[in-house]
Amino acid sequence: MLVPARHPSRKTIRLTEDVYRTVGLPFLITFNLRRGDAASEPLGSLLQATFARATAAVPCDVFVWCVMPDHVHTVLAPRLGRSVVEWVGAYKSLASTAARKLGCALGWQRSFHDRVLQPDNLRDAVLYTLLNPVRAGLVHCWEAWPLHGSLEWDLSTANWDEA
């Protein structure tokens, strides 16, 4: 049986579908854009609004997200046996469709980067996500970056900066 040739620069999904469907298993997901204008308006607001729309289509617990100029971070866990892969696909599709209506094109890179989290690493992943614009020198504190949020928590009531 012949196996189709794989393009050498394409990243393949590295985990089995069963892992991506494990209910409640948290993941740190990063997906990239080819252009670095995702944080500009109106794209930034569009990408933020897409988190709720993608989660309505593919139920997941979205603990935190941060939209950066050329990539998006999110910490999420699948619900109801749905897949993280399905959620990322829904997010990218919904965002691209909405961007086209605005006359913009989102150049998503293929696939995504993932990291399975243990429950005791969830807080560290949330902090990593929230502090991304600070590390990039875009703001002095994570609260000043407008393109972050959570569908599960009120981020303003937690002291995420404590070590």
Side-chain angles (χ1 to χ4, degrees):
M1 177 171 156
L2 292 175
V3 176
R6 182 171 93 62
H7 190 279
S9 66
R10 290 187 181 160
K11 181 183 184 299
T12 58
I13 304 288
R14 65 184 190 87
L15 301 172
T16 65
E17 184 62 25
D18 288 347
V19 175
Y20 290 117
R21 287 186 179 280
T22 304
V23 175
L25 182 64
F27 289 82
L28 171 60
I29 302 291
T30 303
F31 34 102
N32 298 313
L33 289 139
R34 291 188 184 100
R35 294 175 35 194
D37 58 0
S40 64
E41 288 304 326
L43 287 179
S45 293
L46 178 148
L47 291 172
Q48 283 207 107
T50 303
F51 281 95
R53 293 177 61 223
T55 301
V58 180
C60 284
D61 295 322
V62 179
F63 300 114
V64 69
W65 73 78
C66 182
V67 176
M68 296 293 289
D70 63 351
H71 64 280
V72 176
H73 290 292
T74 187
V75 177
L76 58 84
R79 276 194 254 154
L80 306 171
R82 299 305 293 264
S83 168
V84 169
V85 175
E86 286 178 276
W87 187 91
V88 171
Y91 182 92
K92 288 180 176 183
S93 177
L94 290 165
S96 294
T97 299
R100 275 193 301 277
K101 289 178 182 174
L102 294 175
C104 302
L106 291 174
W108 294 114
Q109 289 184 350
R110 254 182 110 74
S111 196
F112 56 91
H113 303 281
D114 60 47
R115 182 170 154 218
V116 178
L117 303 172
Q118 299 301 316
D120 56 343
N121 296 114
L122 185 58
R123 186 173 184 283
D124 291 341
V126 168
L127 283 171
Y128 172 83
T129 301
L130 291 174
L131 293 172
N132 206 256
V134 175
R135 284 189 306 276
L138 300 172
V139 290
H140 65 285
C141 65
W142 68 265
E143 297 93 338
W145 186 248
L147 302 175
H148 72 271
S150 172
L151 297 179
E152 303 301 319
W153 302 324
D154 179 355
L155 297 175
S156 67
T157 63
N159 189 353
W160 295 105
D161 293 324
E162 286 185 359

